[in-house]
Amino acid sequence: MEFQILLLPHDNYWDWVRASRAYVLRFGANLTPDPGTAVRYMAPTQVITFPKFSHAFPAVGDIEGWLQEQDPEIRLDPIDAHEPDAFQDALQTRIDSGDRYGQRQRPFYLLWPTEYPVITQPFGANPQIYTRFGMPGHEGLDIRALTNTNVYACADGVVYRVHKQPKTHAYGIHIRIRHAYGYRTVYGHLAQALVREGDEVKAGMVIGKANSTGASTAAHLHLTLKQDGASLRKETIYPKDVIDPTPFLVWPEGSGRRHTARSAPIAGKCLLGAFGRLGGNLRDEDLRLVELARLEALMLTLTETKESIDRLRALRPGIFLVGRLSAELGGELVTVDRFLERVQPDLDRLYHLGIRSFEVLSAPNLQTEGWRRSWSDGASFAHWYLDLIARLREHYPEAQLGFPGLSPGESLSGWREDMLRFLEAADDAVEASDWVGVHCYWTSEVQFRSALHGRLYETYRTRYPSKELVITEFGNPSVGLRSVGRARQYLEFYRQIRTSAQIKAAFCVALSAQSGFESLVWDQDLDSSDNIARILGRRAF
């Protein structure tokens, strides 16, 4: 877990800061006295560490309850400490043991069970799905694990059940282990179990290989934690003694075993960009706007001319140019061979002109972009995509190929596959890509504020911490919104992501459009070139 913030009491704040100094230097956590700032910081992927005692945060009362009410997905790390010295002692114990979040100080804790420190579905999520099974929400954690990668025992124990049939149980092939203090763990959706009933296992031991057997749409590990008698004692609202494993997990940095290396988030300013002309190639007025707005990146159609590319580079030396590989996909099945026939002539030309970054398709979870025709789901798209990029890399060895941005949102019957389900099923394709495209759209103020808080791109940043992200499309397509209002929203969005780690560039939609498009970013409502430059250039940053 990379994103941690220490929430410290306002009273005697600097004493609390001094108490935290060694811990902050060791683990790189941030600090704040404001509960609201802690909630917004990298939400919902952060850990909030705070001293827990009566009246520590009088403005909100019960701080733990208040934080859970603000966002139940945020991981909380309370420390029983009534004064700075006690807080410093608790933090020093963590430093000395290399136990960043203090899980190893519990009598019972769980080591991380896969090679990938990413939770793809938290405990209690999606109650609308799980209530039909008699559960108030997701009854465990879904943890990222690619096909045939290792699954580790979370704690010492004895295997008491191994289910070997992939289709006769919702968990598919799965393993159950009994531990001390009445705890039991379940490891579901495996490709293979490597232990037998009655085997004694040690924490960190390989017990199986991951897959997607049972009621699963893509490779991952489902981890359930139970404690004998918890339901009877009313310590959980779940049946069958199910409890939340999240507070027991030691995140991989303190697990004591080697795990997949994670690159640090890519630093630097996010480049400010725009899609060029929707439905056509750039015109003189578009090039003038690129210069006036001082754009740093531009998304090009495959048919863009050499003249326009040369002029762009003369106007804005060093501009980041990205091409989008696209073809008509909505009307028929398009094989990889047929797709290459359609795009290769223009791709050859752009590559010869020095374009090296390409987004491969756009929104493949939409019916108009190939879903239900050329592929049926994220897994079949991944198979199609991996074949395509393997061939592209043979012919264009210097190309940086980006996994396409997906249409955000839940399933729309016959129109769109659920974004998260599609993404999870296409995980192998994302991993094989050089970078990852993201689409961010909103049509209301509530959605806009959610976009500002990173709800969409944080999903990607959490799942793929070592991948560079490019927001290949963002915008408000509402027809009724005046262009000045739209541009102001875009400016606020640009400001929000300008210094966001891991995001290389963001492209609003769009500079202009051919006739028939109505949701323009800039038009006559922006009454001067100086106004345009102010919105994106000289005075904005």
Side-chain angles (χ1 to χ4, degrees), residues 38 56 67 182 224-226 284 288 326 340 361 416 426 431-432 514 524 538:
L67 290 169
T224 289
L225 177 64
K226 302 183 178 187
D284 288 344
R288 285 195 296 271
S326 61
L340 283 171
L361 303 177
R416 178 177 67 202
E431 284 294 331
Q514 302 290 84
Q524 297 305 313
R538 298 192 289 270

Side-chain angles (χ1 to χ4, degrees), residues 520-537:
L520 307 185
V521 177
W522 296 284
D523 64 12
Q524 297 305 313
D525 287 338
L526 299 176
D527 52 16
S528 71
S529 61
D530 183 65
N531 195 19
I532 296 168
R534 176 179 61 80
I535 287 172
L536 289 180

Side-chain angles (χ1 to χ4, degrees), residues 282 287 290 298 300 304-319 321 349-350 352-355:
L282 296 170
L287 295 167
V290 169
L298 203 68
L300 306 174
E304 195 54 69
T305 66
K306 178 181 184 301
E307 178 188 7
S308 291
I309 292 172
D310 289 343
R311 289 178 63 186
L312 280 169
R313 287 170 170 157
L315 291 170
R316 299 290 296 153
I319 191 170
L321 299 177
R349 185 174 52 81
L350 290 184
H352 180 72
L353 292 173
I355 307 299

